[in-house]
Amino acid sequence: MGQLVDGVWHDAWYDTTKSGGAFQRSTAKFRNWITADGSTEFQAESGRYHLYVSLACPWAHRTLIFRQLKDLTAHISVDAVHPDMLSDGWTFESDWAGATGDRLFGLPLARDIYLRADPKISGRVTVPILWDKHRETIVSNESSEIIRMFNSAFDRLTGNNMDFCPQELHKAIEPINQRIYDTLNNGVYRCGFATSQAAYDAAVGPLFDTLDWLEQRLSRKRYVMGERLTEVDWRLFPTLIRFDSVYHLHFKCNRKRIMDYPNLWAYTRELYQYESIAETVNMDHIVRHYHYSHDTINPNRIIPINPDLDWYAPHGRGD
C-alpha cells in the first residue's frame, strides 16, 4: 500500500525500521460528521452520499454491514475496488466479479478520489471512503465513525430505529471496542506485518488472549454485550469471518482457528446468517486480496486452497 505525499503518489510499504519491526497503522485524515438535523455541513439526505469500499477489507466491511442493517442501500450508493492492491494501491479496474469500477466519476484509482478532495493531500489511500456528492469532498475515511453515522443519522429518512450503540451501553461498549480493536481487529495486522520476532511475539500473545476471553464470554452471553446485538458484534464479525481463510495462515495467527473455539465459531455463523449479512461477505475478494497483494509476505502470489467452511450450518445460539 503506497501513499500520497503532497499530492504525489509513492509506492512505499509501511516502514517498520523505526518501530523495532512493529506495524503501526496511520490515522484517518477525514473526520467529518453527518447529522440528522443539519448541525454540521453534512446533513443526512437520500442520494447525497457515495461509499467506496473494498469487499476484501474488514474496515470497509463494517460500513457495508451497517448500510444493510439500517436500510440505507436505497439511499447511499456504493462502488467496490478491485481485490488486487499492487503498485498503484486500490484501483477501479472492473475485470473481477464484484469490482464495480468508479461509477461516480469514472476515475481509474482510489487515490484519485482523495486528490479530488484535496490535491495536496499526504497520507495512505485507504477504504472505506464516504463521499459527499453535494460538497464534492470526502466526509470520512474512518470506518468506526462512519458506522456510528449510519447507525443513527438517517433514521428519520429510513424509519429504521434499530440502535446498535444505545446510550445506556456507551460506557460499557467503548473499552471492549478498544480491546478488540487493539489486539484482534488490528492485532492480526500487527502479527502479519511484523518484521521482527519480538514485534510478532508482542502482538500474537494478546491476540489469542482476546480470542480466549471472547470464547469464555460467549459461553455465558449470546452476544458480546449480552442478549442484545450491538456495534461490538458487527465490528468483531469482519475479523472473525476472515480469520480461518486468511489470518490463520497468511498472517501467522495459527495457534488456533476460529472453528476450534466452539462458542466463537457458532457465534460467527449466527452473525453470518443474520438477515442480509451474507450479502456483504465476498470470500473470493477476501482470499484473492490478501494472498495476492502482500508481496512482502507471499512474493510468489500463490493462493492456498483454504478450508471448506459451512457458514450455513445450524449455530444453536437461540432463535
Side-chain angles (χ1 to χ4, degrees):
M1 176 184 285
Q3 61 182 323
L4 289 162
V5 179
D6 295 326
V8 178
W9 179 253
H10 294 260
D11 179 22
W13 191 243
Y14 291 96
D15 183 3
T16 60
T17 57
K18 297 179 181 178
S19 60
F23 166 69
Q24 295 178 333
R25 186 174 298 279
S26 56
T27 56
K29 295 290 184 180
F30 295 91
R31 309 291 286 272
N32 302 301
W33 205 268
I34 298 172
T35 56
D37 60 5
S39 56
T40 68
E41 296 175 291
F42 303 92
Q43 184 168 359
E45 299 176 32
S46 182
R48 176 170 173 173
Y49 300 100
H50 188 76
L51 186 63
Y52 291 101
V53 301
S54 161
L55 301 179
C57 170
W59 317 107
H61 191 179
R62 297 171 171 185
T63 64
L64 288 176
I65 287 171
F66 272 77
R67 180 174 173 265
Q68 290 281 59
L69 291 172
K70 296 294 296 186
D71 296 330
L72 291 169
T73 56
H75 303 284
I76 298 174
S77 50
V78 66
D79 278 329
V81 297
H82 195 281
D84 297 350
M85 185 187 68
L86 304 174
S87 60
D88 276 321
W90 296 115
T91 78
F92 289 118
E93 293 179 18
S94 55
D95 61 342
W96 196 272
T100 64
D102 174 20
R103 293 176 290 194
L104 206 57
F105 304 112
L107 294 169
L109 304 166
R111 70 175 183 255
D112 293 327
I113 303 299
Y114 279 72
L115 291 169
R116 194 176 180 96
D118 180 356
K120 292 295 185 180
I121 192 170
S122 295
R124 298 283 174 184
V125 175
T126 61
V127 288
I129 308 164
L130 184 59
W131 179 266
D132 180 358
K133 300 175 189 177
H134 289 192
R135 299 191 68 248
E136 288 279 307
T137 193
I138 295 172
V139 180
S140 179
N141 64 339
E142 172 49 58
S143 65
S144 65
E145 295 174 2
I146 293 173
I147 66 174
R148 288 274 175 98
M149 291 181 247
F150 286 4
N151 181 62
S152 60
F154 295 84
D155 286 5
R156 293 179 190 172
L157 181 66
T158 64
N160 182 327
N161 295 310
M162 296 176 70
D163 188 356
F164 295 97
C165 193
Q167 186 63 42
E168 66 271 19
L169 290 180
H170 272 200
K171 288 185 179 179
I173 281 174
E174 294 302 341
I176 291 178
N177 271 345
Q178 195 62 51
R179 175 175 180 173
I180 291 172
Y181 170 79
D182 288 339
T183 62
L184 187 52
N185 299 144
N186 196 44
V188 293
Y189 288 90
R190 292 177 59 227
C191 292
F193 293 159
T195 57
S196 72
Q197 188 67 50
Y200 169 78
D201 290 344
V204 76
L207 185 152
F208 281 100
D209 288 346
T210 291
L211 285 175
D212 292 342
W213 169 71
L214 286 167
E215 174 68 9
Q216 288 301 311
R217 190 176 181 94
L218 291 168
S219 71
R220 306 184 306 272
K221 304 173 184 287
R222 183 167 179 179
Y223 305 114
V224 176
M225 299 305 299
E227 295 305 304
R228 180 174 181 172
L229 267 169
T230 68
E231 171 188 285
V232 175
D233 302 294
W234 297 120
R235 286 172 50 128
L236 175 58
F237 174 73
T239 300
L240 298 181
I241 199 79
R242 288 160 173 75
F243 199 94
D244 289 5
S245 295
V246 174
Y247 304 142
H248 175 78
L249 171 65
H250 186 61
F251 279 174
K252 305 179 186 70
C253 301
N254 59 342
R255 192 178 81 184
K256 285 185 179 180
R257 304 163 299 175
I258 298 304
M259 62 189 303
D260 296 325
Y261 292 96
N263 295 303
L264 271 169
W265 174 227
Y267 164 84
T268 306
R269 296 200 310 278
E270 179 182 3
L271 296 184
Y272 180 86
Q273 293 170 29
Y274 192 84
E275 54 192 72
S276 76
I277 295 304
E279 298 173 29
T280 70
V281 179
N282 189 313
M283 291 306 299
D284 186 36
H285 274 238
I286 290 167
V287 171
R288 169 73 179 199
H289 163 69
Y290 281 95
H291 292 292
Y292 204 80
S293 301
H294 302 148
D295 56 7
T296 59
I297 299 174
N298 186 21
N300 293 313
R301 299 193 172 115
I302 295 169
I303 311 295
I305 58 173
N306 283 316
D308 185 11
L309 303 174
D310 184 2
W311 296 110
Y312 287 104
H315 54 77
R317 294 186 67 82
D319 297 334

